[in-house]
Amino acid sequence: MQLLGFVDPDVSVVVPKRKLSRSNTRHRRARWKVTAPALVPVPVDGLSHLVPNGQCRCLSY
């Protein structure tokens, strides 16, 4: 990795051995799907709000 003329010998750059075809690249990328977070109803000031499950304990009631 080169940064302002400095080369760090401990950092190696990953280089593929051969070119991956377009169909294989798209097939690999298509497998990564985003899933919606699990929403939990939390009462705040008398109103029910849907928040992600991990943020339930962060809210002050």
Side-chain angles (χ1 to χ4, degrees):
M1 181 176 214
Q2 187 173 0
L3 182 66
L4 299 175
F6 176 73
V7 178
D8 189 5
D10 296 331
V11 177
S12 62
V13 179
V14 178
V15 181
K17 288 187 180 247
R18 61 183 58 90
K19 182 177 178 178
L20 200 63
S21 70
R22 182 181 291 175
S23 65
N24 283 341
T25 301
R26 290 180 177 166
H27 181 13
R28 177 176 41 86
R29 288 181 182 167
R31 293 182 56 183
W32 288 88
K33 301 289 183 189
V34 176
T35 59
L39 299 178
V40 178
V42 175
V44 178
D45 295 332
L47 296 174
S48 180
H49 295 280
L50 292 175
V51 296
N53 196 10
Q55 294 181 353
C56 290
R57 57 184 176 264
C58 296
L59 294 173
S60 60
Y61 298 110

